[in-house]
Amino acid sequence: MALRVRHLRLRVQTTGGLFGADIVFDGALTVLHAPNTSGKSTCLQALIYALGLEQMLSAKRETPLPFAMRQYIEDPDSGITYNVTESFVAVELENGEGQRITVRRNVVADTDRRLITVVEGPALTEPYSQHEARDYFVHDPGAAKRDAGFHRMLAQFMGWTLPTVKRYDGGDTMLYLETIFPLFYVEQKSGWSSIPAAIPTHFRIRDVAKRSVEFLLALETHALELRRQELELQLGIARTRWSATIDEIRSLTGAQGLRVQQLSQAPTTMQAEIQGAYLQAGHGDEWRNLDALLAELQERLETFDTVAIPNAEGVAVEAAAEVDRVTLEIQEINRERNDIFRGRQAELVQRQSTMTRIAQIDEDLKKNQDALKLQNYGSKASVDLSPHHCPTCEQPLMDALLPQGTIEPLMSLNDNIEFLSAQRAIFKRLVGRSDVVIKELDHDLLSTGDDVRQKSARLRALKSDLIAPAHAASASVIEERLRLDARIQRLSTVRDHFDGLVSQLISQAEIYGGLLAAQAELPRDRLSDADRDKLRLFERSIREQLGRYGFKTFAPKELEISEDTYRPQKEGFEIGFELSASDAIRLKWAYQLGFLDVGLQTITHHPGILVLDEPRQQEAAEASVNGLLRTAALLAEKGSQILIATSEQLANVKQFVAELPCQLLTFDGPIIRRLNAEATMN
């Protein structure tokens, strides 16, 4: 994978004529030298603007180009100021396969700045050749994914397949180019302020700096992390589906007054246990296995089909006796229901009382935790308790049977917190027990309610027999036969539905087991051996560079690269304020060049290009700058392109690069100048 800048063009049409600049790069180390405010940063920012990457600098999508490209320009020869009427930037790029494209983007024009034109060929270095052109868009939804999105095309041109990463809201998004380019493009204003880079966070990508480094170094941990996240997501979906099926079973059986036995509420891979689940139905004063009860009810139903229906006179005596018995049974069931209802209400009150107590404990726990925090911070106010106020509710305690002296705390704040936490756990278990009891009582209410309805229907049929004509068919026998058939049909339907849901659980258990197995196969360590080798190579490169740059805060060999954050650290602690300003810049040089160095020695996604705008920050020593240029020349000779813009004294720059393979481009004034009559706005 490679990206090379071959030609950069700036054009500005003004009320006073055409201005612009053309910079041709030879593809290795290029040092662009010009005095301050001459347009060095303009040239490098024009590269960012042409590629639609200005959001790596700011979330506001502001044009990162100065007034000379947008509003007015002063002729350096005459000193006259002219208004800008039209302007654009263009850059010719080459990828690792030798393919070249020319990207043009207008700055001031009638067209929208979100439009980018791409010529399929070297339109700047070979201006008279003819190539096809196509328009793309940036800074609109889909610019990184759609066929007409420029960043999608640019990523493909570079040979990149951008990974999917997580946002802070839990959703998925793409790792945008704007979050990767800062690792090999360091702009002057904020690019030198942080390590690994000033990576934009407004895309709301979780751990965006880590994700960017992982992609650039092609670490396997990123793919493993994505796989872990995907498995966690699938496991979450599996758990949700399991819970939904369990809830459907509860709803199905609860509505019919049935109970489920031996069914795991949490997902399991034990299919045999799932197959062992069964239903129970209330029958009289006991719970019966539903299959056994259905077999018994079916047998009773078959007996009705073998005998003729008696008349009312024939069953009158038995009906009268059964009326008395059923009436007593209904009364007994109603008394039982009343007891169940009162027990349920009492349990609800007890649960609410327990929840209130938990809320009080939570409040006390917060107060003690806050007091402990203040005490740990050095506060004295939380150490002594007032002798005349309750430490929890702060109510006065003036009335007492015994004289009150200074109250000594019986327990420390830590002991109080531990005690309250234990109490809270106990009361939470009581709430859980209450929920189980209430659920059982609800089942009992449903079951007894069904019994009352059935016996009431039976009672009405029996009374009909007692007042019916003597030769009329017995209503009670017909009712019992119909009721028995209806109950069998209802329970059979529920059982069939239950069996279908159990089959679903078995399928879900198989899927759940496969996900757990896939999760267990993932390496326990976050980093693979290949990843660690790359990080050690990265670490060695930085150490060697720091030695060349005159790093003095501590011995370079003490520096390490964190396997968690990929940032420099010493003795397990991230390097921060203990660095001098100049050493911080030296470390930044080494870090940025380290990425490039690793990319030249092993397989990464680094495009083999590095842009440094004014690397001599904080007045870094000349010897350090010399070491930087020598390192850059060495890496450029190995097959990379490094662009450095500087306003360092020209004599020093020439001395530094005198013996180095380097393209030195010098300007003694503004880079954007008036062009001759032969130049065009193309």
Side-chain angles (χ1 to χ4, degrees):
M1 298 178 185
L3 181 68
R4 299 290 181 269
V5 179
R6 295 304 184 187
H7 195 131
L8 178 65
R9 172 170 293 176
L10 293 84
R11 288 289 185 269
V12 185
Q13 184 68 55
T14 72
T15 54
L18 182 64
F19 290 75
D22 280 275
I23 301 176
V24 180
F25 301 96
D26 66 3
L29 172 61
T30 299
V31 176
L32 179 64
H33 179 275
N36 284 326
T37 70
S38 297
K40 302 183 307 300
S41 295
T42 300
C43 293
L44 297 186
Q45 288 176 343
L47 173 62
I48 290 299
Y49 178 77
L51 300 182
L53 296 169
E54 54 265 38
Q55 278 194 290
M56 67 178 266
L57 308 177
S58 170
K60 298 179 181 179
R61 301 182 181 178
E62 297 175 342
T63 302
L65 296 174
F67 57 85
M69 293 292 298
R70 297 181 290 109
Q71 297 174 335
Y72 61 89
I73 189 169
E74 182 179 340
D75 188 341
D77 297 326
S78 65
I80 300 175
T81 299
Y82 302 103
N83 291 328
V84 175
T85 59
E86 188 177 357
S87 62
F88 72 87
V89 297
V91 59
E92 186 177 305
L93 304 174
E94 182 179 351
N95 62 14
E97 298 178 356
Q99 179 186 1
R100 292 197 185 190
I101 60 173
T102 303
V103 179
R104 170 175 166 155
R105 187 179 181 193
N106 291 330
V107 181
V108 177
D110 292 335
T111 58
D112 196 300
R113 282 199 291 262
R114 289 172 291 188
L115 184 68
I116 293 181
T117 300
V118 177
V119 178
E120 300 289 340
L124 299 184
T125 56
E126 299 178 13
Y128 300 106
S129 58
Q130 295 184 352
H131 306 280
E132 293 185 2
R134 180 178 177 183
D135 289 334
Y136 296 86
F137 67 88
V138 290
H139 302 319
D140 264 359
K145 296 181 179 180
R146 297 180 185 171
D147 290 341
F150 175 72
H151 285 172
R152 180 178 186 273
M153 186 282 300
L154 181 59
Q156 291 178 339
F157 179 76
M158 297 173 63
W160 282 359
T161 300
L162 297 176
T164 300
V165 292
K166 289 292 182 181
R167 295 196 305 262
Y168 281 113
D169 60 6
D172 293 332
T173 188
M174 182 175 289
L175 187 65
Y176 297 112
L177 293 178
E178 292 93 334
T179 67
I180 305 170
F181 265 68
L183 295 176
F184 49 86
Y185 180 103
V186 185
E187 59 92 22
Q188 182 180 3
K189 294 180 180 178
S190 60
W192 297 101
S193 61
S194 60
I195 293 178
I199 297 176
T201 59
H202 52 264
F203 294 106
R204 307 295 296 164
I205 295 175
R206 187 183 302 173
D207 297 326
V208 61
K210 291 177 61 176
R211 301 290 88 84
S212 298
V213 172
E214 288 169 354
F215 174 76
L216 192 68
L217 291 179
L219 298 183
E220 295 176 357
T221 184
H222 182 71
L224 291 175
E225 184 65 23
L226 289 179
R227 179 58 176 161
R228 286 191 181 93
Q229 293 177 1
E230 178 65 21
L231 288 175
E232 283 295 335
L233 176 63
Q234 294 299 325
L235 285 169
I237 294 174
R239 295 185 186 102
T240 300
R241 288 176 176 171
W242 184 281
S243 297
T245 305
I246 293 295
D247 290 342
E248 187 175 355
I249 289 175
R250 289 175 177 173
S251 176
L252 170 70
T253 56
Q256 301 298 330
L258 304 176
R259 295 196 308 191
V260 184
Q261 297 295 320
Q262 296 183 11
L263 184 62
S264 175
Q265 303 301 306
T268 179
T269 61
M270 303 296 183
Q271 299 184 23
E273 292 186 3
I274 303 172
Q275 292 173 336
Y278 63 94
L279 295 176
Q280 285 185 328
H283 189 70
D285 57 354
E286 63 178 352
W287 289 93
R288 299 278 304 280
N289 182 292
L290 181 59
D291 290 336
L293 179 61
L294 278 173
E296 181 179 317
L297 295 178
Q298 186 64 39
E299 184 178 350
R300 287 178 54 192
L301 181 63
E302 291 174 356
T303 60
F304 280 101
D305 297 334
T306 59
V307 296
I309 298 176
N311 54 33
E313 182 180 14
V315 298
V317 177
E318 293 84 353
E322 191 173 352
V323 164
D324 295 336
R325 179 174 58 81
V326 172
T327 301
L328 292 175
E329 288 177 354
I330 292 175
Q331 293 174 354
E332 181 62 29
I333 294 174
N334 282 329
R335 283 194 295 269
E336 182 182 352
R337 284 176 56 79
N338 288 334
D339 291 340
I340 294 172
F341 182 78
R342 285 193 296 269
R344 184 180 184 277
Q345 293 300 108
E347 195 64 41
L348 287 173
V349 171
Q350 179 63 36
R351 186 186 187 280
Q352 183 59 42
S353 175
T354 305
M355 292 297 297
T356 302
R357 180 57 182 149
I358 290 175
Q360 294 171 348
I361 291 175
D362 286 341
E363 184 66 24
D364 293 348
L365 193 57
K366 290 178 182 178
K367 289 183 177 181
N368 278 271
Q369 289 171 338
D370 290 345
L372 179 62
K373 182 180 294 185
L374 293 173
Q375 188 182 89
N376 290 336
Y377 290 166
S379 172
K380 301 298 183 183
S382 61
V383 176
D384 298 326
L385 297 177
S386 172
H388 302 299
H389 289 79
C390 173
T392 299
C393 65
E394 301 181 359
Q395 294 294 319
L397 302 174
M398 301 303 295
D399 298 331
L401 296 176
L402 298 174
Q404 295 190 16
T406 301
I407 299 178
E408 297 292 338
L410 298 179
M411 291 192 298
S412 67
L413 289 173
N414 280 320
D415 291 339
N416 274 332
I417 292 172
E418 184 177 353
F419 175 72
L420 289 171
S421 298
Q423 274 195 319
R424 188 181 188 279
I426 292 173
F427 283 114
K428 290 292 287 184
R429 286 196 292 271
L430 289 176
V431 170
R433 189 197 65 82
S434 292
D435 290 338
V436 173
V437 171
I438 292 171
K439 180 181 176 182
E440 289 294 328
L441 292 174
D442 286 339
H443 271 102
D444 291 342
L445 283 174
L446 284 172
S447 178
T448 53
D450 188 56
D451 282 348
V452 168
R453 287 190 295 273
Q454 292 185 27
K455 291 185 180 298
S456 296
R458 178 64 176 169
L459 182 61
R460 289 191 296 271
L462 291 170
K463 289 181 178 180
S464 297
D465 279 349
L466 295 178
I467 61 175
H471 297 289
S474 172
S476 62
V477 174
I478 296 174
E479 183 276 335
E480 183 179 4
R481 201 269 182 216
L482 293 175
R483 177 171 52 84
L484 187 59
D485 184 57
R487 189 183 185 193
I488 291 173
Q489 293 297 327
R490 176 170 53 87
L491 293 180
S492 296
T493 300
V494 173
R495 182 190 61 183
D496 293 342
H497 195 178
F498 172 76
D499 290 342
L501 293 174
V502 169
S503 297
Q504 290 183 23
L505 288 179
I506 292 173
S507 299
Q508 292 174 18
E510 184 176 357
I511 296 173
Y512 187 72
L515 293 173
L516 290 179
Q519 190 179 54
E521 290 175 356
L522 292 177
R524 294 185 178 181
D525 292 339
R526 196 176 64 87
L527 296 175
S528 66
D529 291 340
D531 289 346
R532 287 192 170 86
D533 290 341
K534 285 183 181 179
L535 292 180
R536 298 293 78 79
L537 187 63
F538 188 36
E539 187 177 84
R540 286 195 299 272
S541 177
I542 294 175
R543 288 175 177 177
E544 292 172 0
Q545 291 182 68
L546 291 180
R548 299 190 203 112
Y549 303 156
F551 186 85
K552 297 178 180 178
T553 301
F554 53 82
K557 65 180 181 180
E558 297 178 8
L559 179 139
E560 300 173 340
I561 293 298
S562 169
E563 293 186 353
D564 180 46
T565 65
Y566 315 120
R567 298 175 186 268
Q569 65 179 21
K570 179 178 179 290
E571 297 177 350
F573 294 95
E574 190 169 313
I575 299 172
F577 296 107
E578 66 273 15
L579 288 181
S580 65
S582 57
D583 268 356
I585 294 302
R586 294 183 182 98
L587 180 57
K588 177 70 174 178
W589 295 346
Y591 197 85
Q592 299 295 141
L593 286 164
F595 283 128
L596 182 58
D597 192 9
V598 174
L600 293 171
Q601 298 184 58
T602 185
I603 297 176
T604 69
H605 291 139
H606 201 291
I609 185 172
L610 177 62
V611 180
L612 303 177
D613 190 3
E614 288 290 4
R616 191 184 180 188
Q617 303 282 316
Q618 302 299 330
E619 294 301 321
E622 292 181 2
S624 299
V625 178
N626 189 19
L628 169 65
L629 291 174
R630 289 185 177 278
T631 301
L634 178 64
L635 295 178
E637 278 190 309
K638 294 181 179 179
S640 62
Q641 182 182 33
I642 301 177
L643 309 180
I644 298 178
T646 180
S647 57
E648 176 73 18
Q649 292 184 9
L650 181 57
N652 291 340
V653 175
K654 288 183 176 180
Q655 180 183 353
F656 294 154
V657 302
E659 299 179 358
L660 300 178
C662 172
Q663 177 190 21
L664 178 59
L665 302 175
T666 62
F667 298 85
D668 56 4
I671 297 177
I672 301 178
R673 306 180 66 89
R674 180 182 293 276
L675 300 178
N676 57 40
E678 296 179 357
T680 66
M681 270 292 288
N682 295 323

